[in-house]
Structure formats: C-alpha cells, structure tokens
Amino acid sequence: MQARCIYFLERLYLLIIFGFIATPITMIVLFSFNKDRFPGFPWSGFSLRWYEAILNEPMVIESAINSITVGLSTALGATIIGFLAAYVDYRYKFRGKTALNLIVAIPPAIPPTVMGIALLAFFARIGLFGELKAIAIAHIAIASSFAMALIGLRLKELDASIESAAWNLGASRLQGIVFVILPHCRTAILAAFFLSFAVSFDEFMIAWFVGGLNETLPVRILNLLQGQVSPRINAIGTLVFALTFSLVASTLWLMRKKQPTT
C-alpha cells in the first residue's frame, strides 16, 4: 500500500511539473487561433487571421528564410565538425586530447550576451558584421559540441577492433570511415543535424548582436515585442514551437533507434 502511494505521488509530482512547463506553450498555441486581438476567456471565436497576417508580412517571411538558411548552414557545418571531433576522440590518443574536448564544450557554456558582444567585436574587425554567414559561424561554434556529444555516444557502442579488421582486410582509413564508421553512425549523424538546426533556429541573442539588419525569426519576434504586444507573436511562436518540437522529437527517436553495425 505504501509503495503504491509513493508511486502515485511521484506520478502526480511529474504531472504537476509537466503542466507547469507546458501551460505557457499551450496558451501561446491556444491564443494563436483566437479571433480576438486580446487574449482572454471565453474565446471570441476560432480564426486563422493571425497566421494569414504573418504570411502577408514581408519582414516575417524574410526573417524566416534567414533562419532556415542559417539553420541549414549551421546544421551542416556543426554535424561535420562534430563528427570529425567525435571520431578523433574515439580513435586516437594524443597529448592535448582533453584540451580539445574542452574547447569544443566551452561555447555553449558561455553566456549568450557575453559571447554576442565578443563576436560582435570580432566580426566587425574582419568585416563580417551584419552578414548571415557571421550568424552561421557563431551558431556552428555552439552547436558543434551537441553534434559531437550525440555522435560520440554512438561511436562508443562500436568496437574499435571492427575498423581495425577492415584495415587488415585491405581497406584504407578512408574506406574504413566510409564503410564502417558512417553506416554505424548514420542515425546519430542525422540526429545531430536535426538538433543543430533546432539550436540555431531558436537562438536569438547572438543573432541579434552580429546579424545587423539581417534578422532571424527569433530576432523579429523580439522586435515585434518592443513595439506592442501583437497576436501575430502567438502565431509565429506556434510555428517555431512546432518545428523545434519536430526536430527534437526526431533527434530523440533517432538516438533511441538501434543501428546495426554493417
């Protein structure tokens, strides 16, 4: 009886925590379909007017395209760097290996405001301030550590002797990576790509500092908030949440999926 009560209390506690986290998101989604301009209960009616409004707003469309462009560039760059760093960590032992892992892990730990100011000064000196490539480079520096962690977890499941056996059978090191390592890590690599895209798509502080007039979608939301509270923000937030949730859910599904070694 006591064990059953503890089990019930644990589930109740988790439900309360989940409700506390999910309530603001639920309100954003709910009021994005509200016909009335001002959020409140009861509803004045169901409407898609705020979604139509953002689709007809050129600056929102432009910022969304910027976010997708930066996100894809970040995902590609971070996944490549993350894979290479994870493979070096998996395969080789050398002096400075701990320092390399530390360098990759540091950027996400730096406060975004501090990193944004530092990158603003750096990109201004080299002539990249205000360009989308500056945002992408900054996001790659942050997302690479997540990509390395995901791919590294999958590499740890692979016996190092399998790649060595491929070498003994005549495969070159490149062939060993292409035909042994990559097939084993393909789900983790795809998961790293999705997660890196999500990290980039949601980040706004660094993009706000270094992007100049090239706004990403989170920066556009921030600028909308500086004027007046508009129901369009709920519609944009709902779309951003749906995309981010899909990417993170895909990442979790891919990491839970067992990939047979070939």
Side-chain angles (χ1 to χ4, degrees):
M1 183 67 181
Q2 184 179 1
R4 184 174 297 179
C5 290
I6 294 175
Y7 176 83
F8 174 77
L9 291 175
E10 288 177 347
R11 293 299 181 272
L12 180 62
Y13 174 76
L14 291 175
L15 183 62
I16 292 173
I17 295 297
F18 178 78
F20 178 78
I21 296 174
T23 296
I25 300 174
T26 304
M27 291 298 101
I28 290 174
V29 175
L30 187 64
F31 288 121
S32 70
F33 296 102
N34 189 16
K35 183 178 180 180
D36 197 357
R37 177 180 179 84
F38 301 99
F41 291 103
W43 257 23
S44 59
F46 178 87
S47 175
L48 295 175
R49 61 181 294 194
W50 309 120
Y51 290 93
E52 295 175 358
I54 63 175
L55 291 177
N56 292 323
E57 186 170 339
M59 294 188 70
V60 172
I61 300 299
E62 182 181 355
S63 62
I65 294 174
N66 288 342
S67 285
I68 294 173
T69 302
V70 172
L72 290 174
S73 301
T74 299
L76 181 60
T79 303
I80 293 174
I81 294 174
F83 171 78
L84 294 176
Y87 180 76
V88 169
D89 181 61
Y90 160 78
R91 170 52 61 187
Y92 301 104
K93 294 182 180 180
F94 54 91
R95 183 175 298 178
K97 182 176 178 179
T98 302
L100 173 63
N101 293 335
L102 183 62
I103 290 173
V104 176
I106 281 178
I110 300 176
T113 304
V114 175
M115 192 167 183
I117 294 174
L119 289 172
L120 169 61
F122 173 72
F123 287 133
R125 283 183 175 274
I126 64 176
L128 285 180
F129 170 73
E131 297 190 21
L132 290 179
K133 64 180 71 174
I135 305 175
I137 292 171
H139 287 180
I140 288 173
I142 297 174
S144 294
S145 61
F146 298 106
M148 178 183 176
L150 290 178
I151 298 172
L153 287 174
R154 186 53 56 91
L155 281 174
K156 289 180 180 178
E157 300 175 358
L158 179 65
D159 191 341
S161 63
I162 295 178
E163 189 181 18
S164 300
W167 298 340
N168 293 333
L169 292 173
S172 65
R173 288 187 176 272
L174 180 59
Q175 288 174 327
I177 293 175
V178 173
F179 296 108
V180 177
I181 300 297
L182 288 180
H184 177 77
C185 294
R186 59 175 174 260
T187 54
I189 291 173
L190 189 57
F193 185 91
F194 287 158
L195 184 59
S196 298
F197 187 97
V199 169
S200 173
F201 198 82
D202 280 349
E203 199 284 323
F204 80 93
M205 184 61 70
I206 295 174
W208 183 74
F209 272 107
V210 306
L213 297 178
N214 288 312
E215 296 180 340
T216 59
L217 198 55
V219 175
R220 176 94 292 261
I221 294 174
L222 179 64
N223 290 334
L224 286 174
L225 284 172
Q226 291 177 347
Q228 57 181 342
V229 178
S230 171
R232 292 174 299 170
I233 296 174
N234 293 329
I236 298 173
T238 299
L239 295 177
V240 171
F241 169 74
L243 177 60
T244 306
F245 179 83
S246 300
L247 291 170
V248 174
S250 298
T251 299
L252 293 174
W253 178 78
L254 287 168
M255 291 307 296
R256 291 170 65 92
K257 184 179 179 181
K258 293 297 182 181
Q259 176 62 52
T261 302
T262 56

